[in-house]
């Protein structure tokens, strides 16, 4: 046998190439997102893939509950008005969560070609300013770190935290409000 005949007998015919099947994503529904958001704040956002918003809503509710438990368990004179404000923050966050998930779902369903529905549409001029103020991953990480530290402190109930809140909390909050107003006014 010649070498060509040996190669032909050894060659295996190529199997037919099957094109990959397009995966069809299940259509997500606005009603389910609204229902999830109404049951547990933040889960409607998680259902639609808006992870930062969903985790933020869950985290804000948990931090508010932890703060209410902390301030109700220690004996301070500023408890009652602060507890009322913290208690009123829960329905505000809850209803804003339901509103926001319904608006976000409308936007996602109306414009499905957007790559990241969490980021607002920006121009090049505002993009540089946005990158300096709140880069999408860094501010979220700082919020989680700061809130986690607060939750830890609220759970441990150190004596120095109660003293700090009684003596310096009003000055610290006033400073944050002035700085926040300055940043908001400059934009």
């Amino acid at each position: 046998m010649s070498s060509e005949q040996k190669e032909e007998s050894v060659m295996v015919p190529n199997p037919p190439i099957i094109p990959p099947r397009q995966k069809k994503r299940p259509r997500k529904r606005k009603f389910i997102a609204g229902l999830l958001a109404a049951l547990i704040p933040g889960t409607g956002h998680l259902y639609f893939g808006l992870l930062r918003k969903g985790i933020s809503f869950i985290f804000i509710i948990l931090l508010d509950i932890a703060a209410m438990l902390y301030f109700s368990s220690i004996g301070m004179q500023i408890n009652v008005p602060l507890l009322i404000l913290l208690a009123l923050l829960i329905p505000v966050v809850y209803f804003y969560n339901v509103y926001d998930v319904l608006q976000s779902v409308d936007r996602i369903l109306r414009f499905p070609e957007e790559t990241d529905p969490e980021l607002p549409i920006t121009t090049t001029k505002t993009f540089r300013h946005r990158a300096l103020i709140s880069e999408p991953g860094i501010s979220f990480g700082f919020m989680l770190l700061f809130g986690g530290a607060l939750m830890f402190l609220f759970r441990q109930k150190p004596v120095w935290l109660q003293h700090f809140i009684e003596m310096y909390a009003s000055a610290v909050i006033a400073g944050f409000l002035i700085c926040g107003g300055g940043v908001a006014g400059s934009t």
Side-chain angles (χ1 to χ4, degrees):
M1 276 179 48
S2 70
S3 64
E4 288 179 26
Q5 291 174 347
K6 287 181 183 178
E7 287 179 19
E8 286 179 23
S9 64
V10 175
M11 286 180 42
V12 178
N14 291 336
I17 298 175
I18 300 173
R21 194 173 87 188
Q22 295 291 332
K23 292 183 179 179
K24 188 174 181 182
R25 298 177 83 188
R27 187 168 188 268
K28 296 187 176 180
R29 302 189 188 281
K30 181 178 179 180
F31 174 76
I32 294 175
L35 182 67
L36 287 171
L39 292 175
I40 301 172
T43 55
H45 291 91
L46 296 177
Y47 172 70
F48 257 86
L50 303 171
L51 299 179
R52 279 188 220 127
K53 281 186 179 181
I55 292 172
S56 296
F57 279 115
I58 292 170
F59 195 69
I60 288 170
I61 292 286
L62 289 176
L63 187 61
D64 188 40
I65 291 170
M68 282 179 37
L69 290 174
Y70 173 76
F71 289 115
S72 66
S73 66
I74 61 173
M76 289 177 34
Q77 287 121 7
I78 61 170
N79 278 359
V80 176
L82 183 61
L83 285 174
I84 291 171
L85 286 176
L86 289 173
L88 288 175
L89 184 64
I90 290 177
V92 168
V93 171
Y94 174 81
F95 287 115
Y96 179 72
N97 162 60
V98 174
Y99 169 78
D100 186 60
V101 78
L102 294 175
Q103 295 300 314
S104 298
V105 166
D106 274 344
R107 192 171 109 196
I108 290 171
L109 293 177
R110 203 171 290 151
F111 305 111
E113 64 276 354
E114 281 186 18
T115 56
D116 189 1
E118 288 187 353
L119 296 177
I121 300 170
T122 58
T123 60
T124 55
K125 182 181 177 185
T126 59
F127 180 73
R128 268 186 258 124
H129 182 67
R130 176 177 159 72
L132 291 174
I133 291 179
S134 63
E135 189 172 319
I138 294 175
S139 61
F140 180 69
F142 282 142
M143 182 201 70
L144 288 178
L145 285 173
F146 181 71
L150 276 177
M151 284 181 145
F152 179 75
L153 286 175
F154 289 157
R155 176 73 176 108
Q156 297 298 320
K157 299 179 186 175
V159 176
W160 64 266
L161 181 62
Q162 180 179 351
H163 179 70
F164 177 80
I165 291 171
E166 286 177 350
M167 298 299 202
Y168 305 111
S170 59
V172 170
I173 291 173
F176 278 127
L177 290 175
I178 290 171
C179 290
V183 169
S186 66
T187 58

